[in-house]
């Protein structure tokens, strides 16, 4: 958490995570897929900054670190992004630099940023190579924790049903969300 004065002067702020994984590389969670920088990109696309949906794994075959930036999805990988406009991704290290504040661009950012600002991050080490399921579970827990609702004693909340309503099987199956069906007669599970 920081307290910052607003200014119209061009500025940006990074939160540095100087993670060191010898021989490590990055895998990012993007909507509907995993992305390996430089490999899974359209040639000529931006390599200074990346948007990670929920998690980044920086790791090797031996070990790694999972990172989640709940409030800061834009990052630079290996080195701080400076707008070099490189033609391809060239890994310059294994650190992660969260792009917390920026009013240097003419679009998509407020012209001044200030006040009391909170940024939440999560880190978790892992042994062995990248595990997509473990990364997804970590990212979901860090960025979209399960909400809880208090039901006062005696409040009407429907019939109590004993037993399980949903069973998931298989190492690659993850329940993304459970929501009541629009007609009120069921539950929609996003897997």
């Amino acid at each position: 958490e920081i307290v910052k004065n607003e200014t119209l002067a061009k500025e940006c702020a990074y939160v540095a995570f100087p993670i060191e994984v010898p021989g490590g590389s990055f895998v990012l969670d993007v909507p509907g897929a995993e992305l390996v920088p430089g490999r899974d990109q359209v040639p000529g696309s931006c390599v200074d900054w990346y948007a990670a949906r929920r998690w980044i794994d920086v790791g090797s075959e031996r070990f790694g670190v999972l990172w989640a930036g709940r409030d800061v999805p834009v990052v630079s990988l290996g080195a701080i992004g400076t707008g070099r406009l490189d033609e391809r991704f060239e890994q310059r290290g294994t650190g992660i630099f969260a792009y917390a504040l920026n009013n240097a661009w003419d679009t998509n950012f407020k012209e001044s940023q200030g006040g009391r600002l909170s940024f939440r991050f999560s880190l978790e080490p892992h042994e062995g190579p990248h595990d997509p399921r473990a990364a997804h579970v970590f990212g979901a827990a860090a960025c979209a924790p399960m909400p809880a609702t208090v039901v006062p004693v005696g409040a009407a909340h429907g019939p109590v049903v004993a037993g399980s309503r949903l069973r998931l099987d298989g190492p690659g199956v993850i329940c993304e969300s459970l929501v009541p069906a629009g007609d009120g007669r069921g539950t929609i599970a996003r897997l």
Side-chain angles (χ1 to χ4, degrees):
E1 188 168 284
I2 64 172
V3 177
K4 182 191 166 302
N5 292 330
E6 289 200 26
T7 179
L8 295 175
K10 296 298 184 191
E11 63 180 359
C12 65
Y14 286 91
V15 178
F17 294 87
I19 299 165
E20 186 174 341
V21 179
S25 59
F26 297 99
V27 180
L28 284 73
D29 176 34
V30 297
E34 290 187 352
L35 177 134
V36 173
R39 184 189 78 189
D40 303 326
Q41 290 183 250
V42 174
S45 61
C46 181
V47 295
D48 267 358
W49 298 281
Y50 290 89
R53 185 172 76 116
R54 290 189 176 162
W55 55 264
I56 297 171
D57 189 356
V58 56
S60 67
E61 288 298 312
R62 291 184 37 235
F63 68 93
V65 176
L66 289 164
W67 177 96
R70 183 173 178 174
D71 306 301
V72 184
V74 178
V75 298
S76 290
L77 302 173
I80 290 177
T82 60
R84 289 181 297 271
L85 302 177
D86 292 336
E87 290 291 316
R88 59 186 167 76
F89 180 73
E90 187 177 314
Q91 190 163 323
R92 293 174 167 87
T94 53
I96 297 172
F97 300 87
Y99 206 12
L101 299 171
N102 169 18
N103 70 351
W105 296 346
D106 294 331
T107 59
N108 301 334
F109 285 86
K110 191 177 167 193
E111 63 188 26
S112 65
Q113 299 162 346
R116 183 173 296 277
L117 306 168
S118 296
F119 306 106
R120 293 168 287 185
F121 301 98
S122 298
L123 295 149
E124 182 175 290
H126 64 81
E127 292 183 12
H130 172 65
D131 178 344
R133 185 176 193 286
H136 187 79
V137 168
F138 163 79
C143 295
M146 184 180 293
T149 303
V150 175
V151 179
V153 174
H157 52 79
V160 175
V161 178
S164 176
R165 290 185 164 197
L166 176 68
R167 180 185 169 132
L168 299 176
D169 255 334
V173 179
I174 297 170
C175 184
E176 231 352 270
S177 65
L178 291 172
V179 296
D183 62 7
R185 298 186 325 189
T187 302
I188 298 172
R190 181 176 175 200
L191 306 176

